[in-house]
Amino acid sequence: MCGIVGAVAQRNVQGILLEGLKRLEYRGYDSAGMAIRADDGRLQRCRALGKVAALEDKLAAAPLAGHSGIAHTRWATHGRPSEANAHPHQSGERLAVVHNGIIENHEALRDELEAVGYSFASETDTEVVAHLLEREARQGDLLGAVQRVLARLDGAYALGVIHADEPDVVIGARKGSPLVVGVGIEEAFLASDPLALLRVTDRFIYLEEGDVVRLAAGGEITILDAAGTPVTREIQTFEHGDGAASKGEYRHFMLKEIHEQPTVIAAALEGRLGDRNVLVESFGPEAETLFAGVRQIHLVACGTSYHAGLVARYWLERYAGVPVQVEVASEYRYRRVVVPEGTLFVTLSQSGETADTLAALRFARDRDYLGSLAICNVPGSSLVRESDLTLMTRAGPEIGVASTKAFTTQLTALMLLTLALGRLRGQDPDEQAGLVEALRGLPGLVRRVLSLDPAIEALSTAFGEKHHALFLGRGAHFPIALEGALKLKEISYIHAEAYPAGELKHGPLALVDSEMPVISVAPNDELLDKLKSNLQEVRARGGELFVFADAEVGLAEEEGVHVLRLPHVHEALAPILYTLPLQLLSYHVAVLKGTDVDQPRNLAKSVTVE
Ligand code: AGP
C-alpha cells in the first residue's frame, strides 16, 4: 500500500527520503517519487514508474537538494500505475503533496476546480488536494490552508505537503490512514510507518485521527487536533530494534521471518504464563472484570488474520465453552449484526491499520458489545489505540507481504485468550496446566520442524510445473489448509483451494487427477482415521498426495504418496506446528518459479484502503 516519508532536517533530505522509501518497499507499490524545496525556493520533483531503484537511478543522474521534502511509494487506486500518476502531485510550481488513502468526493472537487481554471495532469484523486491547497495557500499560511482543505475532503487520508514559499516546513495530516512523526535532534520527520525512519530516529509521535502537524526548522513540531486546538502527544520509543528491517543472512524477508518463529512465539508467551495457568492480567488490568462477563465472541479480521480467527473458534468453543462467530471484516461491517448480551468484540490484525478491520471496530463501537479486544502486532497502531483491551503478539516487524510469523504468534495469543477465558469459566485446571506445559515446549518443537526445511524444499520441486493445488484439513486444521492455500497462491501464483477433507466427495473430487497435487496436514487427533479415508479417495483418482503427518501416525510412503513426519505435539497446538511446513513449501515453490517472494504482484502489506 502507499507509503509516505517527509523530513525537515539540517542536512540535505534526499538521502533520508530515499532510505525511507526503500524501507517502505515491503508494503507493495508500483511507482515512487519525491519533491524537495531547494534553498533558492524552487520545488524540485523526481518520479519513476516501478521500483524505488528506478527512482534512485534517476536521482543519481539528477540529484535534488534541500532541507525539507516529501516522498511517496504509490499503490494504484485511482488511475493506472504511471509516472504521471505517481506522487508527489503539484499544483503549478509552488506546492507539492503526497497522499495515502482515498478522497471519496474527488470527482465533485475536480469539477469545481476545473470550472475555475485548474487543469489536471493525472488521473488521481490526490491531485484535487494539490489544487485546493494551492488556492487556499494564496489566502495565508500553509498550515491554515491545510486545515481549511481538510474540512472539504471526504474519505481517508494521510497527507504530506510542502510549499515553495514556506522554507523548511512540512505539513502532515491524518484521518483514517496512519501517520507518525519522527522526533530527531533538531530535525523532524514524517512517515506512514515508523520503520521508514529507523535510520534517523527511534522516537515517534503517533498522530491521532484528525491531527494536523507542522514540522519546521530546528526540529519544531506543532500538533493541532481535529478541533484545531494545539495538543501535546506522547513521544514513544520504538520497541523492535532496527535489525528487523534487514534480511541478514537470508535470501528473502519471508524466509527470515519463517525462521524467527521459535523466538517470536517464545516472546509472545513471555511473562504471560503462570505455573499451571495463563495470567489473565496479560490482557490488561480491566481484563478479568470484562472477561468474567463474556458469554459469546464475535471475531473479525481479514486474510491470514481471519484464518487465525477460524482456528481460535475451535479452541474457544472446546476449551473455554464460549460460542464464537468469525467473520471477514469487509463483510461484517456492512451487515445488520445481532449482538447477544455479553458479546466480546475481538479484532485480529498484524498491522493494526487494515481499513476494513478498523472500520469494523468503529462500527462495533456503536453496537451493544461488552467491550473490544485487539490482538495485534504493532504497538501504537490505530486498532490498538481504539480498543478497550489489547494483547500484543510481539512478532516484531514483518516485512514479507505474505504473513508468516504474524500468523503463528496470533495463534499463540489466541491460545492465551482461550486459556484466560477457560480459567474464568471453570476449565479443568489439569487440562489448563497441560496446555500451559505444552505452550512452554512449543518454541522447541517449532525449531525441530524448521530443521525439516531441506526435505520440504525437495518436495517443492514437484510443484514447479503445476497450475493448481488442493489443500485438505479437518477440524482446526481446515483453517490451516486455507492458510496454506493462501500462502501458495499469493507468492507462487499457483491457483490453490482449501477444503475440509470431508467435503471432497461433495464436489472438489471431480478436479482430482494426476495434475492436481493434494496437500494435507494429518496430526494425530480424533479425526485422523476419517482423514485417512479422505486421502484414499484422492489416491484412488490418481491424485498425488503430499501429507505432513504426526511421527506416530501409521501413514506409509508409497508411489504417489509423499509423507513428511512432524514431531508429536499436543493436539491443541498442532495447528501452529503444521502451519510451518506449508509456509516453507510455498516459499520454495515461489523461489523455484522465480516470483517476487517478498513483494508479490498486486499485493500490499498493509491494506489501508477499503
Ligand atoms: C497474508 O499473507 C496477507 N498478506 C493478508 O491476507 C493479510 O493477512 C491481511 O491483509 C490482513 O492484514 P492485517 O493482519 O495487517 O490486518
Side-chain angles (χ1 to χ4, degrees):
M1 199 92 334
C2 304
I4 287 178
V5 194
V8 178
Q10 299 184 343
R11 44 198 153 150
N12 179 8
V13 294
Q14 180 186 289
I16 299 171
L17 297 178
L18 195 58
E19 173 66 20
L21 292 185
K22 287 184 186 165
R23 286 164 175 257
L24 292 176
E25 287 192 286
Y26 76 94
R27 295 163 64 101
Y29 63 99
D30 49 57
S31 50
M34 79 170 62
I36 292 180
R37 183 191 178 280
D39 291 344
D40 62 8
R42 273 177 312 116
L43 280 198
Q44 321 149 84
R45 176 172 66 169
C46 181
R47 299 180 294 172
L49 183 62
K51 298 274 176 191
V52 173
L55 180 72
E56 190 172 17
D57 288 347
K58 278 186 144 183
L59 288 168
L64 313 184
H67 296 97
S68 54
I70 50 178
H72 192 261
T73 49
R74 173 172 189 256
W75 189 75
T77 54
H78 292 73
R80 72 211 141 82
S82 69
E83 192 175 315
N85 287 335
H87 301 214
H89 288 287
Q90 288 191 194
S91 182
E93 299 298 315
R94 313 295 294 161
L95 180 135
V97 62
V98 289
H99 163 226
N100 286 358
I102 292 173
I103 307 298
E104 286 173 355
N105 56 339
H106 73 102
E107 281 173 353
L109 293 170
R110 195 178 181 114
D111 292 346
E112 173 189 319
L113 288 159
E114 279 174 343
V116 295
Y118 282 96
S119 57
F120 282 74
S122 78
E123 303 156 306
T124 65
D125 53 340
T126 305
E127 201 179 342
V128 297
V129 183
H131 295 314
L132 286 171
L133 283 169
E134 193 276 339
R135 187 168 67 176
E136 287 300 327
R138 283 193 243 144
Q139 319 300 323
D141 71 333
L142 188 57
L143 181 63
V146 170
Q147 286 179 296
R148 289 191 294 280
V149 168
L150 295 185
R152 304 219 42 214
L153 304 180
D154 294 338
Y157 49 77
L159 295 171
V161 187
I162 55 171
H163 196 293
D165 295 345
E166 299 221 13
D168 299 344
V169 169
V170 172
I171 307 285
R174 77 155 279 179
K175 184 184 152 216
S177 278
L179 197 63
V180 299
V181 174
V183 182
I185 299 168
E186 297 190 18
E187 297 182 326
F189 313 98
L190 199 64
S192 48
D193 181 331
L195 278 184
L197 299 174
L198 286 181
R199 186 60 72 76
V200 284
T201 187
D202 64 351
R203 299 168 70 226
F204 294 97
I205 297 169
Y206 293 85
L207 293 177
E208 300 205 353
E209 281 298 270
D211 280 356
V212 179
V213 63
R214 180 179 186 273
L215 313 181
E220 190 188 306
I221 299 166
T222 312
I223 303 175
L224 306 178
D225 68 10
T229 311
V231 282
T232 306
R233 303 256 182 250
E234 188 195 349
I235 299 177
Q236 299 182 30
T237 303
F238 192 76
E239 281 178 12
H240 312 295
D242 194 16
S246 89
K247 286 197 273 253
E249 69 197 68
Y250 293 94
R251 187 167 165 195
H252 295 101
F253 279 109
M254 183 181 176
L255 189 62
K256 175 181 178 230
E257 288 156 6
I258 289 174
H259 282 277
E260 281 171 358
Q261 289 174 109
T263 313
V264 294
I265 289 173
L269 294 171
E270 201 187 307
R272 292 168 172 173
L273 299 178
D275 279 351
R276 288 173 48 85
N277 46 37
V278 159
L279 305 174
V280 180
E281 313 84 276
S282 314
F283 293 80
E286 302 86 33
E288 187 151 355
T289 318
L290 193 74
F291 283 178
V294 173
R295 299 285 164 273
Q296 164 135 354
I297 291 178
H298 284 177
L299 209 155
V300 172
C302 300
T304 289
S305 298
Y306 167 69
H307 295 156
L310 290 175
V311 173
R313 180 174 63 185
Y314 289 88
W315 289 343
L316 284 158
E317 297 203 337
R318 169 158 179 186
Y319 296 107
V322 194
V324 180
Q325 182 179 298
V326 190
E327 195 164 352
V328 288
S330 52
E331 288 299 315
Y332 169 87
R333 62 184 286 197
Y334 292 113
R335 213 158 56 73
R336 214 174 260 256
V337 184
V338 176
V339 183
E341 205 185 324
T343 305
L344 178 68
F345 185 76
V346 179
T347 53
L348 278 168
S349 173
Q350 187 286 126
S351 61
E353 301 293 350
T354 300
D356 284 320
T357 310
L358 207 49
L361 172 64
R362 290 172 185 160
F363 169 92
R365 263 207 310 250
D366 300 331
R367 305 290 179 286
D368 219 2
Y369 282 99
L370 188 65
S372 61
L373 163 69
I375 295 183
C376 187
N377 189 38
V378 180
S381 61
S382 304
L383 208 65
V384 167
R385 284 185 287 120
E386 295 183 27
S387 299
D388 300 325
L389 300 177
T390 53
L391 188 72
M392 301 315 301
T393 49
R394 300 176 180 164
E398 189 179 64
I399 309 292
V401 164
S403 199
T404 52
K405 61 176 181 170
F407 179 65
T408 48
T409 51
Q410 278 173 344
L411 290 177
T412 307
L414 285 161
M415 180 48 86
L416 294 176
L417 175 66
T418 303
L419 296 179
L421 287 168
R423 202 179 152 191
L424 299 173
R425 296 169 61 89
Q427 184 188 11
D428 172 7
D430 288 337
E431 184 180 73
Q432 170 128 168
L435 276 157
V436 165
E437 200 45 43
L439 277 172
R440 284 190 221 285
L442 187 60
L445 284 177
V446 168
R447 206 164 275 119
R448 281 174 61 194
V449 173
L450 292 176
S451 72
L452 300 173
D453 191 22
I456 297 169
E457 184 175 1
L459 285 183
S460 70
T461 54
F463 291 76
E465 302 300 318
K466 300 289 189 228
H467 299 290
H468 308 276
L470 198 57
F471 285 73
L472 300 177
R474 293 204 69 137
H477 293 87
F478 164 52
I480 299 306
L482 284 169
E483 175 58 13
L486 177 65
K487 283 294 85 92
L488 189 69
K489 65 187 134 190
E490 70 182 330
I491 60 168
S492 77
Y493 315 149
I494 292 177
H495 168 229
E497 292 203 54
Y499 275 91
E503 274 289 291
L504 256 192
K505 53 173 103 49
H506 299 287
L509 203 53
L511 295 172
V512 173
D513 62 14
S514 59
E515 285 311 297
M516 174 70 90
V518 177
I519 301 108
S520 178
V521 288
N524 196 359
D525 62 18
E526 60 196 15
L527 290 170
L528 179 65
D529 287 334
K530 294 193 185 300
L531 179 73
K532 281 183 182 167
S533 320
N534 302 141
L535 298 183
Q536 283 311 320
E537 292 161 9
V538 171
R539 241 351 256 148
R541 272 87 190 167
E544 191 170 4
L545 275 168
F546 298 83
V547 190
F548 298 101
D550 188 293
E552 294 165 11
V553 162
L555 261 173
E557 277 276 342
E558 55 183 82
E559 206 200 325
V561 184
H562 311 272
V563 181
L564 198 108
R565 297 187 193 288
L566 267 60
H568 182 65
V569 59
H570 189 299
E571 182 189 337
L573 303 186
I576 303 179
L577 209 64
Y578 280 76
T579 298
L580 305 166
L582 303 187
Q583 295 171 342
L584 285 166
L585 182 68
S586 298
Y587 172 77
H588 290 300
V589 174
V591 169
L592 199 70
K593 297 197 70 169
T595 59
D596 191 345
V597 172
D598 286 330
Q599 293 169 40
R601 67 186 183 199
N602 307 337
L603 297 181
K605 180 66 184 164
S606 179
V607 185
T608 51
V609 292
E610 184 174 355

